[in-house]
């Protein structure tokens, strides 16, 4: 696969690793609503589900494939033919489909999860990639628990799967085990020791068991990875995954430290999508969560308030409006006019034609008559129904 060396690919797995969390399950139509917002946010790849796991997950991948046009749709599998065949079937409507297959790579997983040997696992990894390749051009391979895997063996596995056709190689720190320098050393080791590494993109996929998921992902990017797997609000198994909004803002604030690496992310949509995901998944965001927590831009101590009032940048490294936090305090009610609605729609990334705005306004008044206040989510729903003909 040809790729732009200055682009950092954002692979969103909110709808797969995030949705696996107990209590976070979504209906297919909720997944489509989030998928549409992820596409508007500017992610490159949406991991839409694990199709063999349930008929609902299969259907979600089918529907997301039909409804999203500008992103790669990815489907997860284990390293066996049935999973891969089902994933390929679920992707048949995708404009660009990717199969994400893989197997454990640490001795712990090889022995206690698969009751197998390094040699046998390597053969299964290669066979899975070759089989996936018979359906789609774009095949991503994950070496599960790579964080704890022996680097020499991992390098052998990665070289073999790239030779078999993998276009992206995912090096997951499945258990959130690594320190940032250990994880960076692993990525660097692969770059230096896998002969065909330039034929694939290295992807980082980190879990947050010790609060290091974002730090490890960033360390991996600095060592040469060019795809980050992450979720909105950092939701995911156990303590979660790398948070998408944290990675994107780190790149934005520290752009000089990343040799011109760029993403397509529109950070102004973060607050709205964070609230949407939190509400639909019934998963509150911790108040002190970086970027999207309720307190992320609140200054409470006297010393900080005094310094902030003298000059915002004394205590503000990111402007709240850059992540879509509304500072104007314009509240939408049944008495609001078109200007206020237009202001909020623009803040949420919707620039509607006059006629669409008029038709949305009528629906807005109907809704606002029965509610005290209209939320961002209400507006997004109105805008999607007005502008997107699905
Ligand atoms: O954490 C992990 O290893 C995963 C893989 C299935 C990619 O989620
Ligand atoms: Zn994971």
């Amino acid at each position: 696969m040809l790729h732009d060396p200055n682009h950092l690919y954002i692979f969103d797995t909110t709808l797969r690793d995030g949705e696996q969390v107990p209590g976070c399950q979504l209906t297919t139509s909720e997944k489509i609503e989030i998928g549409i917002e992820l596409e508007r946010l500017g992610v490159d790849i949406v991991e839409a589900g694990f199709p063999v796991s349930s008929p609902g997950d299969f259907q979600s991948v089918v529907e997301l494939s039909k409804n999203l046009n500008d992103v790669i749709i990815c489907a997860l599998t284990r390293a066996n033919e049935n999973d891969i065949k089902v994933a390929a079937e679920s992707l048949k409507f995708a404009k660009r489909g990717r199969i994400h297959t893989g197997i454990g790579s640490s001795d712990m997983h090889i022995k206690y999860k698969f009751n197998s040997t390094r040699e046998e696992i390597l053969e299964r990894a290669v066979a899975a990639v070759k089989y996936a390749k018979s359906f789609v051009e774009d095949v991503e391979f994950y070496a599960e628990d790579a964080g704890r895997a022996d680097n020499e063996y991992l390098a052998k596995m990665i070289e073999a799967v790239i030779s078999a056709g993998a276009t992206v190689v995912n090096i997951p720190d499945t258990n959130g085990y690594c320190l940032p320098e250990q994880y960076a050393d692993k990525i660097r080791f692969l770059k230096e020791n896998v002969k065909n590494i330039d034929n694939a993109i290295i992807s980082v996929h980190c879990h947050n068991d010790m609060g290091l998921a974002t730090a490890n992902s960033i360390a991996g990017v600095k060592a040469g990875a060019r795809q980050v797997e992450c979720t909105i609000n950092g939701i995911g198994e156990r303590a979660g995954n790398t948070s998408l909004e944290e990675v994107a803002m780190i790149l934005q604030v520290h752009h000089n430290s990343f040799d011109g690496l760029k993403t397509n992310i529109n950070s102004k949509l973060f607050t709205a999508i964070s609230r949407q995901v939190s509400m639909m998944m019934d998963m509150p965001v911790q108040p002190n969560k970086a970027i999207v927590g309720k307190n992320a831009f609140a200054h409470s101590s006297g010393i900080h308030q005094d310094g902030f009032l003298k000059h915002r940048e004394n205590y503000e490294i990111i402007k709240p409006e850059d992540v879509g936090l509304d500072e104007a305090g314009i509240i939408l009610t049944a008495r609001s006019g078109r200007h206020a609605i237009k202001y909020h729609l623009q803040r949420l990334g919707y620039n509607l034609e006059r006629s669409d705005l008029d038709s949305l306004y009528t629906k807005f008044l109907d809704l606002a008559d029965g509610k005290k206040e209209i939320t961002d989510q209400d507006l997004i729903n109105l805008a999607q129904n007005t502008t997107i003909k699905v």
Side-chain angles (χ1 to χ4, degrees):
M1 186 173 71
L2 273 182
H3 66 271
D4 173 359
N6 292 321
H7 188 71
L8 182 65
Y9 291 86
I10 299 293
F11 175 115
D12 182 275
T13 183
T14 305
L15 301 177
R16 199 279 298 170
D17 226 346
E19 210 249 355
Q20 267 168 223
V21 175
C24 282
Q25 279 60 48
L26 299 171
T27 62
T28 297
S29 65
E30 286 171 330
K31 286 189 191 173
I32 293 171
E33 280 183 48
I34 292 180
I36 290 171
E37 293 309 305
L38 288 170
E39 189 168 58
R40 287 200 324 118
L41 182 68
V43 310
D44 301 287
I45 301 109
V46 167
E47 188 162 49
F50 178 19
V52 85
S53 68
S54 71
D57 238 42
F58 179 91
Q59 202 50 34
S60 296
V61 180
V62 171
E63 295 301 328
L64 281 155
S65 300
K66 286 182 187 165
N67 282 281
L68 305 187
N69 299 314
D70 298 331
V71 289
I72 294 172
I73 302 288
C74 181
L76 186 83
T77 82
R78 293 164 296 186
N80 69 59
E81 291 200 351
N82 187 46
D83 277 29
I84 295 169
K85 194 150 44 84
V86 172
E89 177 71 13
S90 73
L91 288 171
K92 68 174 180 239
F93 297 105
K95 286 83 200 165
R96 288 178 295 157
R98 173 183 296 181
I99 292 179
H100 188 191
T101 190
I103 198 160
S105 61
S106 65
D107 287 330
M108 172 69 74
H109 276 216
I110 293 171
K111 186 155 179 220
Y112 296 110
K113 185 171 162 184
F114 295 102
N115 189 22
S116 186
T117 61
R118 285 185 175 190
E119 293 68 32
E120 233 174 66
I121 291 292
L122 193 68
E123 279 171 26
R124 283 177 64 178
V126 168
V129 170
K130 285 191 176 152
Y131 191 60
K133 204 74 185 173
S134 69
F135 298 100
V136 290
E137 172 49 34
D138 191 2
V139 175
E140 173 168 342
F141 175 80
Y142 65 86
E144 196 181 7
D145 202 18
R148 292 190 295 173
D150 170 61
N151 283 351
E152 301 277 352
Y153 176 67
L154 184 63
K156 208 167 148 191
M157 183 183 245
I158 294 301
E159 192 164 303
V161 296
I162 295 175
S163 296
T167 43
V168 181
V169 285
N170 177 9
I171 315 300
D173 186 19
T174 305
N175 294 296
Y177 168 78
C178 290
L179 293 171
E181 69 260 30
Q182 290 171 332
Y183 193 65
D185 284 349
K186 198 171 275 291
I187 303 294
R188 225 171 277 116
F189 185 88
L190 296 175
K191 283 212 67 105
E192 286 163 10
N193 292 282
V194 172
K195 284 201 261 342
N196 49 7
I197 197 71
D198 289 338
N199 295 341
I201 293 175
I202 300 179
S203 183
V204 292
H205 177 116
C206 298
H207 280 265
N208 206 29
D209 297 70
M210 294 199 284
L212 290 171
T214 298
N216 284 346
S217 297
I218 292 294
V221 170
K222 286 209 151 263
R226 287 296 173 266
Q227 178 177 283
V228 177
E229 307 198 3
C230 43
T231 60
I232 299 296
N233 299 334
I235 59 159
E237 286 280 352
R238 306 180 307 279
N241 287 56
T242 301
S243 143
L244 189 158
E245 55 280 2
E246 291 171 13
V247 170
M249 291 319 290
I250 290 169
L251 241 80
Q252 204 166 303
V253 171
H254 289 286
H255 58 274
N256 290 335
S257 307
F258 287 90
D259 297 333
L261 256 194
K262 288 205 169 60
T263 69
N264 287 338
I265 296 296
N266 175 0
S267 66
K268 291 198 162 68
L269 302 182
F270 279 153
T271 301
I273 196 164
S274 159
R275 290 176 186 170
Q276 179 186 32
V277 167
S278 165
M279 195 194 70
M280 283 184 172
M281 289 192 164
D282 205 10
M283 175 62 100
V285 177
Q286 72 190 66
N288 60 327
K289 165 81 181 63
I291 318 296
V292 289
K294 185 164 74 57
N295 296 345
F297 296 92
H299 307 277
S300 46
S301 84
I303 295 176
H304 284 213
Q305 286 177 342
D306 181 54
F308 176 79
L309 291 170
K310 284 179 176 140
H311 196 300
R312 279 172 73 149
E313 285 176 26
N314 279 330
Y315 287 98
E316 200 173 79
I317 58 162
I318 296 167
K319 292 199 191 83
E321 51 271 31
D322 286 351
V323 300
L325 247 194
D326 169 36
E327 283 234 298
I330 299 171
I331 290 165
L332 293 179
T333 68
R335 275 160 297 288
S336 302
R338 282 182 179 70
H339 282 299
I341 291 166
K342 194 171 166 193
Y343 163 80
H344 280 288
L345 284 169
Q346 280 175 342
R347 181 174 62 75
L348 297 170
Y350 286 99
N351 286 303
L352 266 57
E353 302 283 329
R354 178 71 208 212
S355 56
D356 281 341
L357 187 64
D358 286 344
S359 98
L360 184 144
Y361 187 59
T362 314
K363 291 183 212 152
F364 165 84
L365 289 178
D366 284 346
L367 186 66
D369 264 342
K371 285 191 96 185
K372 277 205 184 97
E373 202 183 302
I374 298 291
T375 63
D376 281 353
Q377 187 55 48
D378 292 327
L379 264 194
I380 289 172
N381 292 344
L382 287 174
Q384 283 189 359
N385 290 334
T386 306
T387 56
I388 298 153
K389 322 273 184 263
V390 241

